[in-house]
Amino acid sequence: MPRWKPDARERLVMAALRLFAEKGYDETTVAQIAERAGLTRSTFHRHFGDKRDILTAGQETLSRLLAEGIAAAPSDATPMAAVAAGLERASRHMTSVNRDIGTLMHAAIEADEELRRRNTSKSVGMAAAMTEALTRRGIPEITARVAAELGVMAFNLGFSRWTGPVDGDPGELAPLTRAALHELHAAATHLH
Amino acid sequence: MPRWKPDARERLVMAALRLFAEKGYDETTVAQIAERAGLTRSTFHRHFGDKRDILTAGQETLSRLLAEGIAAAPSDATPMAAVAAGLERASRHMTSVNRDIGTLMHAAIEADEELRRRNTSKSVGMAAAMTEALTRRGIPEITARVAAELGVMAFNLGFSRWTGPVDGDPGELAPLTRAALHELHAAATHLH
């Protein structure tokens, strides 16, 4: 996987997450985030409204990619195949910078109650985007919601394995989300 | 279903949710909540730390009931049967007061962005409690997570049908969560 250099926006996110983990979310100021990133406050505000936006950075992009992948799946794709196409599209866009951010996000969330609470709304947004993209394919609402929920769980499980401690090159995210979806779907068909 | 008279705690929750819907969460004070409920601020503080606690009122109880129902299921129950037992136990505890609170909660959440975000962490807590109760039964982690997620979706779907507009007596919650679990499980087995 190529090592991409983080841009200003990504440097701000990383600096913020390091500070959240060290000092807590409430105690961290925008001035401190900008300073840690080696940038000015006005650069911060060109990218983000306030520090809350750090947590949702990338969330709209992720939801959009998931929905686009689902929309682009072949017209005869099953609900699971459409979800797999969404995960594939989103996973392919994740670079080593996203992996670094994921690792820092995990550390920050572990260290701060407020962040833990705020983080949960991410999965809700992803599930809503996937459900909508699936119902647009004519999949019934209930089926779409179940398929989307499995898709979110698969993305989160694959992502947490990708950003967790690994020996050597972590490789790409896509095979991990694909494997996670396979595991979760197998589990869903053996609940009785 | 018997009509239970709300106690002080429940009156405070109802007063708070009405104010959140009318004025927004940020604009509502503890003094206003106590006044609307016809109680004092010190009564408020005997029941709640601050107004944030209004939103999580009942959440620990709900998670506990779900977990207890799962733990008490017959030892040969399938994962789905164990989840159904959890839903049954929790649903049986919901009275018409819970239904009124659910309706007010829905209105307050619709009216306030901040409340919408905070509300999402409820499902995460329920899923965690159910997953833990299922793994204690020896069910593998992945299977437990999928079963728990379906259980949470079933509870939420059944509860939203129960608290939504209905003609006449809404009846009890239990048959609605049971039917929702059945629908969701059927959908999960037809994703391919």
Side-chain angles (χ1 to χ4, degrees), chain A residues 43-60:
Chain A
T43 303
F44 180 96
H45 287 296
R46 265 206 304 283
H47 292 278
F48 301 103
D50 60 33
K51 70 176 173 175
R52 277 184 299 190
D53 295 345
I54 295 286
L55 296 167
T56 48
Q59 195 184 334
E60 292 79 15

Side-chain angles (χ1 to χ4, degrees), chain A residues 78-80 117-118 120-121 124 142-143 145-147 149-150 153 157 161 183-185 187-189 191-192, chain B residues 78-80 117-118 120-121 124 142-143 145-147 149-150 153 157 161 183-185 187-189 191-192:
Chain A
T78 63
M80 262 304 100
R117 240 179 5 79
R118 286 174 183 268
T120 57
S121 62
V124 176
I142 289 272
T143 309
R145 283 164 75 166
V146 172
E149 210 57 62
L150 289 179
M153 292 174 82
L157 182 56
R161 288 172 179 169
E183 286 172 52
L184 289 160
H185 183 230
T189 54
L191 295 173
H192 247 338
Chain B
T78 63
M80 262 304 98
R117 237 175 12 76
R118 286 173 182 271
T120 57
S121 61
V124 176
I142 289 271
T143 309
R145 282 163 76 166
V146 172
E149 208 58 59
L150 288 179
M153 291 174 82
L157 182 56
R161 287 171 180 169
E183 286 173 54
L184 289 160
H185 183 229
T189 54
L191 295 173
H192 245 339

Side-chain angles (χ1 to χ4, degrees), chain B residues 35-93:
Chain B
E35 193 194 344
R36 176 72 66 98
L39 298 164
T40 62
R41 282 187 62 154
S42 69
T43 303
F44 181 97
H45 288 297
R46 265 207 302 283
H47 292 278
F48 302 102
D50 60 33
K51 70 175 173 176
R52 277 184 299 189
D53 295 346
I54 295 286
L55 296 166
T56 47
Q59 194 184 335
E60 292 78 15
T61 307
L62 181 53
S63 290
R64 181 177 52 73
L65 291 166
L66 290 166
E68 283 175 3
I70 289 170
S75 59
D76 63 346
T78 63
M80 262 304 98
V83 166
L87 292 183
E88 200 73 20
R89 168 94 51 132
S91 301
R92 293 266 168 237
H93 272 78

Side-chain angles (χ1 to χ4, degrees), chain B residues 111-134:
Chain B
D112 195 285
E113 164 77 34
E114 171 71 10
L115 283 183
R116 252 195 308 285
R117 237 175 12 76
R118 286 173 182 271
N119 189 52
T120 57
S121 61
K122 286 197 180 182
S123 296
V124 176
M126 285 161 65
M130 293 180 91
T131 300
E132 196 196 327
L134 290 164

